[in-house]
Amino acid sequence: MLLKNFTQNTWVEADDSGLEIFDAVNGKPISRISSSGIDFSGYVDYARTVGQRNLQSTSPHQRAAMLKELASSLLESKEIFYRLSTLTGATRRDSWVDIEGGIGTLFSYANLCERNITDRNVYIDGNAEPLSKSGGFIGQHILSPLQGVAVHINAYNFPVWGMLEKLAPCFIAGVPAVIKPATQTAFLTHKVFEHMVQTGILPEGSIQLICGSAGSLVDHLDYDDILCFTGSASTGAMLKSNTAFSERNARFNMEADSLNCCILGADVKADDAELNLFVREIVNELTMKAGQKCTAIRRVLVPEAMHDLVIEKITARLKKTIIGDPSSKLVHMGALAGLQQRDDVFKKLESLKADCEVVYGGNDTSNLQLHEADATIGAFMQPTVLSATNPDCTVAHDIEAFGPVCTVMPYRDTTHAIRLAKRGKGSLVASIVSSSPEQIEALALGIASNHGRILVLNQRSAEDSTGHGTVLPNLIHGGPGRAGGSEELGGLRGISHYMQLTALQAHSSDIARIVASS
Ligand code: NAP
């Protein structure tokens, strides 16, 4: 089946037979995908006209109610999405993060809007600033929705969450979206999108879908539009060089590669509970979604004296990991999203071997023991652990193998651990596992400027911890430098990315009237 594109309220088929997409587990063809011959400028024009008009004629609370209704409807059909998600190599646990995590983000933004936003399309931002002695003239920042289109380009690893986590704040802000999923897993995004359209809940023009190449879409963007991109740094850099951003100053939001680290505090001893928490977190991040998470732990920083013990403990747990058909309840880790994605991980693994030693796993699939699956057909690989015994001079700070791969590296002291963490050149998230308040403080303050999120884990927080890799709608997701230099989500902050901040200077009664009439 050739996936259709949804533009101008119509399902449109490409004018060629498209590219074939295969099941990650058994290699059978699933669908074909193409956007050849599609009118890309039509997407943008329609969103700016019909989409804008329909969205702006609703209020934020009405949009929140629509999001809730949509989320409930998606939940009712979730088993259809779970079944399809298996074809991407995902286990039930992996799919839960993608499917119900995405739907949960819709609920979360709807509730956030109802609780925190007055029912006007223009919001007050911060307090009024007195600008005159009499108080007759004040300054007030206001946020108003962009009058253009939001283009959402997503990576292949979260076909559902990736679409919904961008859509939720965008829709609440009142900006129409054009969604472009990654080719490899677009069949699942397409199914969820199709369901969204069939419900008839969202206003016409508020969402459109491109399956296949984005064609000339980005060339049509202007100053009042925004591109929110998730993917590799190289694609991001190429997109950023488009004149839409370099000349017309359209907004550009990027979530890219990230060499996230997890640091074991120098205070942790061999028989401390924190060591087990640390190892559990590493193994979880390696195996969940077969390591295909932008937040997964890539660099494992441990005190020198703990290096061998940590590897021993991680290895012992990995030996118990059952890999295979993700639809089986016995399986802990499924396949990567496709053979091309696995080849890419193997290539990166070869580069990592330049100065790191493989201590578990690797890219040899000939002896891979799988549960009800065949390694010669499906995109399976072993979770792989490397060791970089010269951590000051290793490619592990630069190469992201986007799969079940991490590198353990020893550090001498806290200053050294901070220096190594910063070698990621800006990351989405870091974890600190320690029970020492002094150690936690030194590490957290030392690395905060290089990270979008920091999780502190110990016996005090373990029971309630949301985990290293979990992205939450009320906290920001993003990071400086290599991670893209942008942010998404973060509660109300996420909505403001789709709005223009304006400083209004006027008499207070005039400001009140402007806001009230929006
Ligand atoms: P990718 O190859 O960079 O692709 C990302 C998206 O960009 C896909 O939808 C892709 O479409 C699209 N794209 C490629 N070339 C384009 C062009 N010329 N114009 C417009 N769109 C274009 O990345 P990926 O392989 O899907 O994902 C893996 C990478 O994403 C990893 O490096 C990972 O770190 C990163 N990632 C980051 C986050 C985060 O939140 N920071 C989350 C997930 C993944 P096609 O698939 O059709 O080529």
Side-chain angles (χ1 to χ4, degrees):
M1 185 192 77
L2 182 61
L3 298 177
K4 286 185 180 166
N5 296 275
F6 189 70
T7 174
Q8 303 179 51
N9 211 32
T10 310
W11 289 101
V12 181
E13 209 165 78
D15 62 11
D16 66 2
S17 57
L19 189 76
E20 195 149 45
I21 304 298
F22 300 95
D23 186 321
V25 181
N26 61 25
K28 290 184 181 157
I30 303 171
S31 61
R32 305 189 73 88
I33 181 166
S34 174
S35 59
S36 170
I38 300 294
D39 173 13
F40 292 101
S41 69
Y43 274 90
V44 171
D45 292 344
Y46 191 69
R48 286 184 186 142
T49 51
V50 179
Q52 271 288 339
R53 190 176 62 237
N54 288 338
L55 274 169
Q56 293 299 310
S57 65
T58 61
S59 73
H61 288 193
Q62 285 171 328
R63 295 195 288 275
M66 287 185 241
L67 272 195
K68 273 191 183 170
E69 201 186 339
L70 182 72
S72 300
S73 171
L74 290 172
L75 261 190
E76 278 169 24
S77 298
K78 69 178 181 182
E79 291 307 326
I80 298 172
F81 311 141
Y82 271 107
R83 274 196 294 281
L84 215 47
S85 180
T86 310
L87 314 188
T88 71
T91 62
R92 179 92 191 178
R93 175 180 79 144
D94 299 339
S95 303
W96 181 84
V97 181
D98 188 31
I99 297 167
E100 299 198 47
I103 296 171
T105 305
L106 298 183
F107 278 124
S108 181
Y109 263 94
N111 289 332
L112 182 90
C113 171
E114 287 173 351
R115 280 200 302 268
N116 300 297
I117 294 175
T118 50
D119 204 14
R120 302 265 180 258
N121 280 321
V122 169
Y123 319 146
I124 296 279
D125 182 83
N127 297 326
E129 292 293 327
L131 298 178
S132 68
K133 275 191 183 153
S134 70
F137 189 62
I138 62 167
Q140 176 68 63
H141 288 105
I142 59 162
L143 285 160
S144 53
L146 297 182
Q147 299 298 297
V149 57
V151 170
H152 294 166
I153 298 182
N154 292 317
Y156 67 81
N157 57 336
F158 282 112
V160 183
W161 178 83
M163 167 170 66
L164 300 182
E165 63 96 18
K166 284 189 173 67
L167 182 63
C170 177
F171 188 78
I172 292 292
V175 178
V178 174
I179 296 153
K180 194 217 118 27
T183 291
Q184 180 59 29
T185 54
F187 58 90
L188 177 52
T189 314
H190 185 276
K191 178 57 81 185
V192 178
F193 186 95
E194 188 181 51
H195 183 95
M196 299 202 299
V197 172
Q198 279 166 357
T199 64
I201 294 167
L202 303 186
E204 186 186 325
S206 57
I207 52 168
Q208 299 180 79
L209 181 74
I210 295 177
C211 291
S213 153
S216 63
L217 182 72
V218 177
D219 302 335
H220 299 290
L221 298 185
D222 211 334
Y223 73 96
D224 221 1
D225 303 318
I226 177 167
L227 172 64
C228 299
F229 167 79
T230 298
S232 60
S234 54
T235 307
M238 184 268 296
L239 287 171
K240 207 173 189 176
S241 67
N242 191 294
T243 53
F245 312 105
S246 59
E247 290 176 15
R248 299 190 290 285
N249 292 323
R251 293 165 190 225
F252 187 85
N253 196 85
M254 171 153 80
E255 300 292 333
D257 309 358
S258 184
L259 287 150
N260 314 296
C261 68
C262 186
I263 311 173
L264 182 66
D267 57 298
V268 180
K269 303 283 175 292
D271 50 3
D272 285 353
E274 275 72 19
L275 181 59
N276 287 333
L277 291 174
F278 181 76
V279 170
R280 191 183 68 187
E281 207 68 24
I282 305 297
V283 172
N284 227 351
E285 290 297 316
L286 260 182
T287 54
M288 190 181 262
K289 285 206 69 86
Q292 300 164 110
K293 284 195 312 178
C294 50
T295 51
I297 296 166
R298 305 289 174 207
R299 299 176 302 140
V300 180
L301 307 186
V302 298
E304 276 171 350
M306 300 293 271
H307 178 262
D308 293 353
L309 181 61
V310 165
I311 289 179
E312 198 181 296
K313 282 185 171 277
I314 294 176
T315 303
R317 284 185 81 122
L318 289 178
K319 280 184 181 152
K320 294 185 197 148
T321 302
I322 300 173
I323 310 165
D325 183 348
S327 60
S328 164
K329 283 188 180 144
L330 295 176
V331 165
H332 303 124
M333 187 176 110
L336 280 86
L339 291 174
Q340 197 188 320
Q341 282 70 25
R342 187 182 67 175
D343 284 350
D344 188 54
V345 174
F346 284 171
K347 253 187 238 152
K348 299 277 173 56
L349 197 49
E350 281 307 313
S351 307
L352 283 166
K353 282 186 198 167
D355 55 40
C356 302
E357 184 198 348
V358 175
V359 291
Y360 186 85
N363 52 2
D364 181 4
T365 55
S366 59
N367 290 322
L368 190 52
Q369 298 290 313
L370 296 181
H371 179 78
E372 293 174 0
D374 182 348
T376 62
I377 300 171
F380 294 96
M381 71 174 282
Q382 288 197 63
T384 298
V385 182
L386 299 111
S387 163
T389 43
N390 187 358
D392 293 307
C393 186
T394 171
V395 290
H397 296 298
D398 301 307
I399 296 172
E400 182 204 44
F402 200 62
V405 180
C406 72
T407 305
V408 182
M409 39 185 102
Y411 70 81
R412 288 186 298 279
D413 52 30
T414 305
T415 311
H416 191 208
I418 293 169
R419 203 163 62 234
L420 293 179
K422 288 181 168 177
R423 291 280 303 275
K425 299 193 183 84
S427 303
L428 294 172
V429 53
S431 281
I432 298 165
V433 184
S434 162
S435 64
S436 153
E438 294 78 24
Q439 179 73 170
I440 294 168
E441 182 187 318
L443 287 169
L445 293 178
I447 65 172
S449 65
N450 271 237
H451 291 83
R453 182 163 64 83
I454 296 174
L455 175 98
V456 177
L457 185 63
N458 50 37
Q459 284 190 78
R460 300 189 282 281
S461 63
E463 206 178 317
D464 298 321
S465 169
T466 47
H468 169 99
T470 307
V471 174
L472 299 166
N474 43 345
L475 298 182
I476 65 154
H477 171 54
R482 180 183 184 122
S486 308
E487 57 178 58
E488 286 181 339
L489 300 173
L492 292 175
R493 304 164 65 99
I495 301 171
S496 68
H497 297 146
Y498 296 94
M499 306 187 91
Q500 174 61 41
L501 186 64
T502 306
L504 266 185
Q505 293 168 270
H507 189 272
S508 55
S509 61
D510 291 320
I511 291 182
R513 191 189 161 92
I514 291 168
V515 173
S517 63
S518 68

